[in-house]
Amino acid sequence: MGAKSLTATTATTATTAATASTGSTASTGADRRTALVSGVLFLVTEVAAVAGLVLYGPVLDGAGYVLGAGADTRVLLGALCEFVLALAVVGTGAALYPVLRRRNEGAALAYVCGRLLEAAVILVGLVSVLSVVTLRRESAAAPDGDAASLTTAADALVAIHDWTFLFGPDFVLGANTLVLACLMYRSRLVPRPLAVLGLVGGALICASATAVLFGLYEQVSGAGSLAALPVFAWEVGLAVRLLAKGFSGPAQLPNTTERWAASPEAVGGHSLAPR
């Protein structure tokens, strides 16, 4: 009976280990696809953000845009880029969640919520810019309108965009970067030097946003651009890493007999051994 029991236990353990190996392989394949999608989305956010800011130039810099001939097509293309940016921002949070959840579910959920908030703030700024375009078209259709009132309304809408540009791509982005980089650092999903760059970039962009908030310098300035470089490098570096090599380390299995079979010491010895 003892021999039979030992044989049965050994067979059960072998079966469980095989199941764990299969599950680990499947999880690794899914993680690789997640890494590819996330890398592409991070690159999209960078391209769309820069393109949107450049295309918005006439409406953001020209105080009399609402009264002039305007460059509506250019501004509308900028709005389209911002909309793509918002979608990609949400996409990065959704794509990374399954992998991050296995390391720290609370932090993973916080990152998803933070990305949703960031996208929402971006969309508010987008709508304010489109509203300036609408005002310009209405003023062209009614040339006898009050020019001073139109200019004041347009300036107010541009100011809304400027504030959302500060809180979305600076404050909220900085907080999201800190959450993700901290999680990546602790779980070693990417090389630690890259995660440290994210921690530095997130902290620096938040500090820079605070300086802009209190009027120390303009957001779009030399100092503001320098402060944004580390977080830009972090996102581009993360995208390249995910596209080229994916996540570091093996897939993490849940606390089950499968995880015990794969690595008993990972769950505290033999307490979860199959019986």
Side-chain angles (χ1 to χ4, degrees):
M1 292 294 293
K4 290 183 178 180
S5 177
L6 178 60
T7 301
T9 301
T10 303
T12 302
T13 303
T15 302
T16 304
T19 302
S21 177
T22 302
S24 178
T25 302
S27 179
T28 301
D31 286 354
R32 184 68 185 116
R33 290 191 295 272
T34 296
L36 290 173
V37 172
S38 301
V40 170
L41 288 173
F42 271 112
L43 289 180
V44 170
T45 62
E46 299 305 319
V47 173
V50 173
L53 182 61
V54 171
L55 291 170
Y56 274 167
V59 70
L60 298 180
D61 300 333
Y65 178 88
V66 71
L67 300 177
D72 291 354
T73 300
R74 176 176 171 177
V75 174
L76 292 175
L77 286 174
L80 182 60
C81 288
E82 289 257 287
F83 185 67
V84 171
L85 169 62
L87 293 179
V89 164
V90 174
T92 55
L96 287 173
Y97 179 74
V99 174
L100 301 180
R101 179 171 58 90
R102 297 199 298 270
R103 276 72 185 180
N104 188 315
E105 187 170 2
L109 186 59
Y111 183 69
V112 171
C113 292
R115 293 302 257 180
L116 286 171
L117 175 59
E118 184 180 343
V121 174
I122 290 171
L123 290 176
V124 171
L126 182 157
V127 171
S128 69
V129 170
L130 291 179
S131 298
V132 176
V133 174
T134 300
L135 277 178
R136 196 208 66 77
R137 289 176 174 176
E138 291 183 351
S139 67
D144 296 332
D146 187 349
S149 298
L150 287 172
T151 302
T152 300
D155 288 344
L157 290 168
V158 171
I160 292 173
H161 172 271
D162 291 344
W163 284 113
T164 59
F165 186 56
L166 175 65
F167 279 88
D170 275 14
F171 276 119
V172 183
L173 172 62
N176 288 336
T177 299
L178 287 173
V179 171
L180 181 59
C182 182
L183 191 50
M184 293 285 191
Y185 181 88
R186 296 187 63 181
S187 63
R188 298 180 183 270
L189 283 170
V190 297
R192 281 193 160 178
L194 179 58
V196 169
L197 177 62
L199 292 171
V200 172
L204 190 58
I205 199 70
C206 286
S208 176
T210 303
V212 173
L213 180 65
F214 288 100
L216 297 183
Y217 52 80
E218 294 293 325
Q219 185 176 6
V220 182
S221 63
S225 298
L226 286 175
L229 277 179
V231 76
F232 175 80
W234 146 257
E235 291 200 340
V236 172
L238 178 61
V240 172
R241 166 71 192 191
L242 294 178
L243 289 172
K245 295 187 177 181
F247 298 107
S248 301
Q252 181 171 325
L253 296 172
N255 285 320
T256 63
T257 54
E258 287 82 1
R259 185 178 176 188
W260 175 87
S263 180
E265 65 276 7
V267 291
H270 298 271
S271 60
L272 293 181
R275 302 184 187 279

